[in-house]
């Protein structure tokens, strides 16, 4: 008799928290969603989501958009005119992963400042701001802040720095845009509530397709006036969607069922970091960064054992915990990776 082969190991995919698949409960909520034509503002589920998210962040209004990139780009356009600039960190998502959209679509110039691993230093940015009423200088209309910081390994921006930037921005007439793709993780890790983060930005984009585990969707927040203009930009960009309540229902479901469990991803990241010998203080949310490794070689060898990780650079790997990786998956990934790194 042939020996029974071992069951195929499940893939542990730690490349990103975007790889999650909708759960059975989420799919049910999507299937049962009440819908209408949202371009006519007649989709009750989408309207309910927009109102709920606006409330959570203490914003006047909200707009459902198909991606965080669209949320960020419209958000920045609402606070910056063509020919003006947005100032941000050199590793910010808005200038790294959004395909030059601010320039390509809106004629917005971006200028970057190299920060300490993504950590916000208000004074460092403020020093670089250029005035509006000068005949020689590109005016800085807005500063974009990312919380948590993606390339910064999921770091949570210090509240005192966010507050300092906000206080300064009010008297300076410079707007603040928050790229809050993972603001949920920041809030869970820091204990700072979402409304506090929301109060410290003129426009903010928050994602549901990362830690909250929906297939699609982000929400842009701002004043009622700005969000009304944002609705025009969304349509211009081809982001006006019709019976989109099927997607908004997934987001409402995620607020009820996935936000309360987000701390588990942080606990898993701590466990994984500990097994990998990483400084626990560097694991603030759901990401573990492995420095000084032969990234392509380790990533390839791990993949051969069904553990997927992402290469940030030639010497750096990133592991992201999420809804679809349980404790057993974390243990297996740690077993595989520690064995590879010990070689
Ligand atoms: C993922 C992400 C976004 C948005 O990405 P989309 O793929 O366009 O939804 C924006 N900012 C940060 C920091 C992100 O990690």
């Amino acid at each position: 008799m042939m020996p029974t082969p071992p069951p195929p190991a499940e893939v542990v995919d730690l490349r990103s928290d975007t790889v999650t698949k909708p759960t059975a409960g989420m799919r049910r909520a999507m299937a049962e969603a009440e819908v209408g034509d949202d371009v006519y503002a007649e989709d009750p589920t989408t309207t309910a989501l927009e109102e709920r998210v606006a409330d959570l962040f203490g914003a006047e209004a909200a707009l459902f958009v198909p991606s965080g990139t669209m949320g960020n780009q419209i958000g920045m356009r609402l606070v910056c005119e063509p020919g003006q600039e947005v100032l941000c960190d050199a590793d910010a998502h808005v200038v790294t992963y959004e395909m030059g959209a601010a320039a390509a679509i809106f004629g917005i110039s971006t200028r970057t400042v190299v920060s300490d691993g993504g950590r916000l230093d208000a004074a460092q940015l403020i020093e670089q701001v250029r005035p509006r009423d000068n005949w020689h200088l590109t005016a800085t209309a807005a500063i974009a802040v990312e919380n948590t910081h993606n390339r910064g390994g999921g770091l949570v921006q210090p509240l005192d720095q966010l507050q300092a930037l906000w206080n300064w921005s009010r008297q300076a007439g410079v707007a603040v845009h928050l790229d809050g793709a993972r603001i949920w993780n920041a809030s869970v890790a820091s204990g700072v509530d979402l409304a506090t983060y929301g109060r410290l930005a003129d426009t903010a984009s928050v994602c549901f397709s990362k830690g909250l585990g929906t297939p699609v969707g982000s929400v842009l927040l701002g004043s009622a006036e700005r969000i009304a203009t944002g609705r025009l930009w969304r349509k211009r960009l081809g982001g006006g969607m019709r019976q989109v309540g099927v997607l908004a229902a997934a987001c409402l479901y995620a607020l009820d069922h996935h936000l309360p469990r987000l701390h588990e991803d942080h606990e898993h990241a701590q466990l994984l970091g500990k097994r990998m010998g990483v400084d626990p203080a560097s694991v603030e949310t759901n990401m573990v960064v492995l420095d000084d490794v032969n990234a392509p070689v380790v990533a390839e060898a791990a993949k051969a054992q069904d553990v997927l990780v992402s290469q940030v650079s030639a010497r750096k790997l990133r592991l992201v915990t999420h809804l679809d990786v349980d404790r057993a998956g974390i243990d297996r990934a740690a077993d595989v990776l520690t064995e590879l790194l010990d070689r």
Side-chain angles (χ1 to χ4, degrees), residues 20-290:
T20 57
K21 295 181 181 151
T23 60
M26 181 176 282
R27 286 171 192 259
R28 243 185 334 269
M30 295 172 77
E32 289 164 6
E34 205 187 317
V35 296
D37 190 330
D38 186 54
V39 174
Y40 293 165
E42 285 175 3
D43 185 285
T45 309
T46 304
T47 303
L49 174 69
E50 289 169 344
E51 286 172 0
R52 183 157 168 199
V53 179
D55 277 352
L56 280 174
F57 287 89
E60 268 178 19
L63 184 68
F64 186 71
V65 290
S67 69
T69 297
M70 193 184 283
N72 278 333
Q73 295 299 326
I74 295 177
M76 293 195 297
R77 178 61 185 86
L78 293 174
V79 291
C80 187
E81 294 299 313
Q84 296 183 326
E85 70 178 13
V86 172
L87 192 63
C88 67
D89 169 55
D91 261 336
H93 193 281
V94 295
V95 292
T96 308
Y97 299 116
E98 302 190 6
M99 320 312 291
I105 301 171
F106 293 134
I108 289 176
S109 185
T110 46
R111 189 153 52 94
T112 57
V113 173
V114 176
S115 66
D116 177 16
R119 197 170 299 273
L120 175 67
D121 176 342
Q124 186 197 31
L125 286 165
I126 290 166
E127 195 181 272
Q128 293 296 325
V129 167
R130 289 173 177 155
R132 283 169 193 269
D133 50 359
N134 186 292
W135 291 1
H136 301 284
L137 298 172
T138 306
T140 311
I143 294 176
V145 172
E146 187 172 315
N147 196 12
T148 66
H149 199 292
N150 182 336
R151 289 179 66 85
L155 75 78
V156 179
Q157 300 298 0
L159 185 60
D160 64 333
Q161 294 300 308
L162 291 166
Q163 186 72 58
L165 180 66
W166 180 252
N167 293 349
W168 169 84
S169 72
R170 295 309 91 185
Q171 50 81 28
V174 172
V176 175
H177 171 75
L178 169 66
D179 176 355
R182 294 190 181 81
I183 195 69
W184 322 99
N185 297 86
S187 175
V188 165
S190 65
V192 174
D193 66 10
L194 297 168
T196 299
Y197 287 132
R199 250 198 320 278
L200 303 177
D202 293 286
T203 51
S205 172
V206 302
C207 289
F208 286 84
S209 56
K210 305 279 170 81
L212 294 189
T214 75
V216 184
S218 286
V219 168
L220 175 64
L221 298 153
S223 68
E225 191 185 349
R226 284 199 175 107
I227 292 300
T229 308
R231 197 171 281 276
L232 306 183
W233 279 115
R234 184 184 67 174
K235 187 68 164 66
R236 277 188 191 117
L237 295 175
M241 297 173 286
R242 302 297 178 171
Q243 287 71 31
V244 70
V246 290
L247 299 180
C251 299
L252 286 165
Y253 181 90
L255 289 175
D256 290 334
H257 300 275
H258 295 175
L259 186 52
R261 63 149 302 283
L262 204 57
H263 64 95
E264 289 175 26
D265 296 345
H266 297 185
E267 287 150 22
H268 285 159
Q270 279 296 332
L271 271 168
L272 191 56
K274 202 165 159 190
R275 288 282 310 275
M276 309 306 303
V278 165
D279 175 9
S282 75
V283 183
E284 296 190 40
T285 54
N286 67 329
M287 296 186 194
V288 178
V289 175
L290 304 180

